[in-house]
Amino acid sequence: RLSCTMHRNMGCERGRGLVSDESSAVLDAANAAAHDVHTLEKAHKKATKKARKKNLPEPEMDEVAVASKLQASTDLALSALALDPKNTDAMITLSSVLPCATGYSQLDMLLETEKQAARELRLQLGERVFEEHRGRFWGLVETRPYMRSLRAVMECAGLSDRPDISVQAGVKLLKLCPNDNQGNRTQVAGFLARAGYVNNAIHFCLQYLFFRDKSICRPKEAGIDFPSRRYTWAEVQAAMSQNWHQLDDGEPEFAILLAAGLLCQFGQEAAEEAQKLLQEAHGRNKHIIRMLLTGRLPDEYPQSGFASPNSPETAQTFLCVSGEVLTRDPVHSFIVEVATPWILRACSGPACTKSEARAKEFKQCAACKEVVYCGAACQKAHWKDGHKGPCKREQERLAQEASTLQMLQRIMGGR
């Protein structure tokens, strides 16, 4: 399943004549049906997990409802294509829901979609559109369906164990749009590591963490000016120590992947710097290390729409791409050794001094998810001691944030 943003026309493209309004409306219905499938699957997964905890029989998936929604999504996506064969997003949706009985894999369909979108773009903007407009693609609305098709190839290839294709697509995306309006850069770093291009992954992360040009808020070459030779430890150490102050603005995903790359390429020699990088990353997004060490690695991209920085959804996207790299030794054993104490929490009971001996030993408040308790007695005592007010305020904040994200989703996605 591709990320949620793949299945959606952006609002600013409506009315530009790129795709007919009728086709866009039908595609919205197809995407809604596809989203319903995800909702059913998510509900079943949650119910199954709950049943296992209570040693109850596992509930059965409503296969009839899932099949019905999938067929509806397929039929609607095909109708959208019939109404307008230029609807690239309909092909992207179709690749996710079309039955495997067709004999085509999702990646095959997306590679063909990308080729068709490129042909259509050349017809619209000229044969040399990729050469003449390289570096400012996103500024041309006509290029955006193509950019989404290329990103879909990048995501699907990575989840299909073809990180080599993902790297090629990701590098092309950054060449065409160095400002990275789609937010592809952390995925590119993860796919570089998964494909075994460790030195290039180190270079890419170094550029985004320590060598950003402040006037354009990114490295000058978008980090893809890969070196022709392997870094030495002295070079990496010098680059990091001289520019460590820039790390304050860096994304935690790059810090974690750089730590992983250093451990793979330089071993224990890089242990101290790797630990510092992991600590910096954990201070920004606590969800990544926690999900990694509690074994909650995702197998799909989040489907909830727009994700705020350093949120659980951001962590899910990152681990969906990079989890495989981070669960291999020597990286995983190092993270377990140094980071386990960071995620152990103390009971929030007012008079309790207990702390977790292992990750996720204590249960968190189901409402605000901000505090944990060793037992029901501490939870009741904390509620009477003053947790009631902060808990309700946090619930209201979460509800407001969800409402804002849904509004953005409707505005940008036409849903």
Side-chain angles (χ1 to χ4, degrees), residues 11 34 50 77 93-94 164 217 222 249 266 286 296 310:
K50 189 174 181 179
T93 294
L94 202 57
D164 53 328
C217 299
D249 301 321
F266 303 109
K286 292 179 168 44
R296 295 185 293 127
N310 302 324

Side-chain angles (χ1 to χ4, degrees), residues 7-11 14 24 28 31 306 407-415:
H7 311 300
R8 195 168 286 119
N9 280 318
M10 298 303 173
R14 301 299 173 104
S24 293
D28 287 341
N31 290 333
F306 297 89
M407 181 180 67
L408 282 171
Q409 193 171 329
R410 288 195 298 271
I411 293 171
M412 298 299 289
R415 283 186 64 181

Side-chain angles (χ1 to χ4, degrees), residues 171-240:
V171 167
K172 187 174 183 180
L173 283 165
L174 291 176
K175 282 181 180 178
L176 295 173
C177 183
N179 287 332
D180 192 24
N181 299 72
Q182 290 176 293
N184 299 312
R185 54 191 177 273
T186 55
Q187 291 198 55
V188 173
F191 288 130
L192 281 167
R194 283 183 66 168
Y197 304 129
V198 178
N199 196 65
N200 286 350
I202 289 174
H203 171 82
F204 192 81
C205 293
L206 280 173
Q207 295 302 305
Y208 274 96
L209 286 172
F210 300 110
F211 296 100
R212 293 183 307 281
D213 186 323
K214 292 187 177 180
S215 64
I216 53 178
C217 299
R218 61 171 172 80
K220 287 185 178 179
E221 298 298 327
I224 53 177
D225 52 335
F226 299 122
S228 56
R229 64 177 181 81
R230 181 185 171 108
Y231 276 107
T232 66
W233 172 237
E235 289 172 333
V236 174
Q237 196 175 31
M240 291 171 60

Side-chain angles (χ1 to χ4, degrees), residues 13 16 31 49 55 99 108 143 152 168 180 196 198 200 214 228 242 257 265 289 303-304 333 387:
E13 295 171 37
R16 298 293 186 98
N31 290 333
K49 185 178 179 181
N55 292 321
D108 289 336
T143 68
Q168 293 171 14
D180 192 24
V198 178
N200 286 350
K214 292 187 177 180
S228 56
Q242 292 169 13
L257 282 173
Q265 188 143 310
I289 297 293
Q303 302 293 307
S304 55
S333 57
H387 179 56

Side-chain angles (χ1 to χ4, degrees), residues 15 66 108 133 243 270 336 345 370 395:
V66 170
D108 289 336
H133 298 290
N243 299 281
V336 170
R345 296 177 290 185
E370 288 293 307
Q395 289 180 67

Side-chain angles (χ1 to χ4, degrees), residues 2 20 25 27 43 92-93 125 135 161 197 215 276 304 318 368 389-390:
L2 304 178
S20 70
L27 178 59
I92 295 174
T93 294
L125 299 179
D161 293 323
Y197 304 129
S215 64
K276 290 179 182 178
S304 55
F318 173 66
C368 69

Side-chain angles (χ1 to χ4, degrees), residues 13-193:
E13 295 171 37
R14 301 299 173 104
R16 298 293 186 98
L18 301 182
V19 177
S20 70
D21 292 340
E22 295 84 356
S23 181
S24 293
V26 173
L27 178 59
D28 287 341
N31 290 333
H35 184 73
D36 289 342
V37 172
H38 176 261
T39 302
L40 288 169
E41 291 173 344
K42 187 176 180 181
H44 177 258
K45 190 181 291 187
K46 185 176 181 179
T48 300
K49 185 178 179 181
K50 189 174 181 179
R52 286 175 180 171
K53 279 186 176 180
K54 297 184 177 181
N55 292 321
L56 297 173
E58 295 184 11
E60 293 184 2
M61 169 72 84
D62 190 345
E63 300 288 354
V64 174
V66 170
S68 174
K69 291 290 184 182
L70 279 174
Q71 190 60 52
S73 183
T74 300
D75 293 342
L76 287 164
L78 287 169
S79 297
L81 275 174
L83 288 167
D84 192 337
K86 297 182 295 183
N87 194 334
T88 299
D89 294 279
M91 280 297 296
I92 295 174
T93 294
L94 202 57
S95 75
S96 296
V97 297
L98 199 63
C100 297
T102 59
Y104 293 99
S105 71
Q106 183 179 18
L107 182 57
D108 289 336
M109 292 185 66
L110 289 171
L111 287 168
E112 183 58 33
T113 299
E114 187 262 339
K115 290 178 183 176
Q116 292 180 13
R119 285 196 291 269
E120 182 61 33
L121 194 55
R122 289 190 177 98
L123 288 174
Q124 289 181 323
L125 299 179
E127 283 294 325
R128 290 185 52 78
V129 58
F130 288 92
E131 293 78 19
E132 292 177 356
H133 298 290
R134 173 180 167 177
R136 53 191 183 92
F137 245 51
W138 197 254
L140 304 171
V141 175
E142 294 84 354
T143 68
R144 297 188 183 184
Y146 172 78
M147 294 289 280
R148 286 198 294 278
S149 72
L150 189 57
R151 173 165 168 160
V153 167
M154 178 186 73
E155 290 187 353
C156 182
L159 298 185
S160 304
D161 293 323
R162 291 299 306 274
D164 53 328
I165 295 178
S166 293
V167 169
Q168 293 171 14
V171 167
K172 187 174 183 180
L173 283 165
L174 291 176
K175 282 181 180 178
L176 295 173
C177 183
N179 287 332
D180 192 24
N181 299 72
Q182 290 176 293
N184 299 312
R185 54 191 177 273
T186 55
Q187 291 198 55
V188 173
F191 288 130
L192 281 167

